Amino acid sequence: MSPSASLSSGANAPLRFLADPLTHAPLFAAQGLVKRFGGLLATDHVDITVLPGEVHALIGPNGAGKSTLVNLISGLLPADDGQLVLDGVDLTRLAPHQRVRYGLSRCFQVTSIFRGDTVRDNLLLAAQAHAGSSFGCLGVRSEEPALRETALALAEKVGLTDALDRIAGTLPHGAQRKLDVALALAARPKLLLLDEPMAGMGPEDSLRMVELIDRLRADTAILLIEHDMDAVFQLADRISVLVYGRVLTCGNAAHIQGHPEVQAVYLGTEAT
Ligand SMILES: Nc1ncnc2c1ncn2[C@@H]1O[C@H](COP(=O)(O)OP(=O)(O)OP(=O)(O)O)[C@@H](O)[C@H]1O
Ligand SMILES: [Mg+2]
């Protein structure tokens, strides 16, 4: 898939740095991350940081290694080398579910929702799963007021209050995506990983998703992979450009838009 807008779009987007990347301790750091698939170096000594309150976008052409990087961070794939630290905790050797417990959450592109259950039950289950042992583990304890409150708050957060009684699998694509985000938020993440949240959406749903991600920055830092450049330039405090598994450059929208090598990659003039 190619970027859906030119690099010059979003030039007037407000600069929104909450923290100076040079002086502020990062919330999350990946250092020297390496992943090989046979002879292919899909992740080539990647360093990336996410600051508190930051939306950090990861862009790059097809096959650049963006999803691989997200899979390494979430623990779905084991890294061959490197280190991952979130809020002072070394995640490198932890299983995915342990990483979630330490504040790392990701969206699974709709695959994590229970399609035959209502939105409410999906949210109750997610709230219960992350509420600790105090609520037990035998079915949804929907009578539990604290869980109901959490489920409602999650629905409100993503704009699904009107759809609470709908069967999740019958929701339009955009609403299913929102539910997926809500399920990830149930873990109360410090860092939320979003891999192409606008994929397959029309312009109206994309706009709603941009608004949602913008609201989420008050609750969690976000690492966002997205091909929609308008969305990236609107949302991202910093952008890292991945090419052939390496970080080509990292900076704000103006830096990325003015970077000749990035232009070359996106205009396809780079030697292949
Ligand atoms: N499980 C795997 N086994 C072998 N090679 C893989 C595997 N996963 C990814 N690759 C390869 O690693 C490289 C990076 O792929 P990745 O899916 O991370 O790219 P991407 O930047 O997410 O691309 P896209 O924009 O198309 O989603 C590609 O060359 C891909 O073919
Ligand atoms: Mg990908």
Side-chain angles (χ1 to χ4, degrees), residues 7 17 21 28 30 46-51 54-61 64-66 69 73 222-227 229 232-233 236-243 245-253 255-257 259 262 265-266:
L7 281 173
F17 264 128
F28 170 79
V46 165
D47 296 335
I48 192 166
T49 60
V50 183
L51 305 174
E54 181 181 31
V55 176
H56 191 138
L58 192 61
I59 66 170
K66 304 178 296 295
L69 185 56
I73 293 172
I222 294 171
L223 183 62
L224 168 73
I225 295 180
E226 186 49 60
H227 280 288
M229 290 303 186
V232 165
F233 288 133
D237 298 295
R238 285 186 302 161
I239 299 162
S240 287
V241 184
L242 211 59
V243 182
R246 285 188 183 184
V247 177
L248 175 66
T249 188
C250 172
N252 64 20
H255 169 81
I256 297 300
Q257 284 158 358
H259 196 290
V262 178
V265 168
Y266 274 94

Side-chain angles (χ1 to χ4, degrees), residues 60-75:
N62 284 353
K66 304 178 296 295
S67 294
T68 301
L69 185 56
V70 165
N71 289 338
L72 294 176
I73 293 172
S74 69

Side-chain angles (χ1 to χ4, degrees), residues 72-76 84 89-100 102:
L72 294 176
I73 293 172
S74 69
L76 213 61
L84 299 160
V89 176
D90 189 337
L91 302 180
T92 318
R93 277 172 234 303
L94 298 186
H97 71 276
Q98 293 172 308
R99 296 183 192 197
V100 173
Y102 283 108

Side-chain angles (χ1 to χ4, degrees), residues 123-217:
L123 294 174
L124 282 167
L125 276 168
Q128 179 176 256
H130 297 292
S133 57
S134 56
F135 295 117
C137 57
L138 297 172
V140 177
R141 299 277 303 275
S142 57
E143 76 279 9
E144 182 56 60
L147 289 183
R148 283 218 314 269
E149 246 170 61
T150 304
L152 279 179
L154 288 168
E156 220 165 275
K157 178 73 75 180
V158 301
L160 283 178
T161 318
D162 292 344
L164 276 165
D165 295 316
R166 296 274 304 271
I167 299 295
T170 68
L171 292 174
H173 180 69
Q176 291 194 25
R177 275 284 159 88
K178 286 180 181 174
L179 178 57
D180 197 37
V181 171
L183 297 181
L185 289 177
R188 281 166 297 184
K190 294 171 182 171
L191 177 64
L192 179 64
L193 306 176
L194 296 172
D195 193 354
E196 299 196 41
M198 281 78 150
M201 282 187 179
E204 183 62 28
D205 277 341
S206 292
L207 193 67
R208 296 284 95 80
M209 186 54 82
V210 166
E211 288 168 358
L212 171 57
I213 294 170
D214 199 30
R215 285 201 304 276
L216 294 185
R217 70 169 81 234

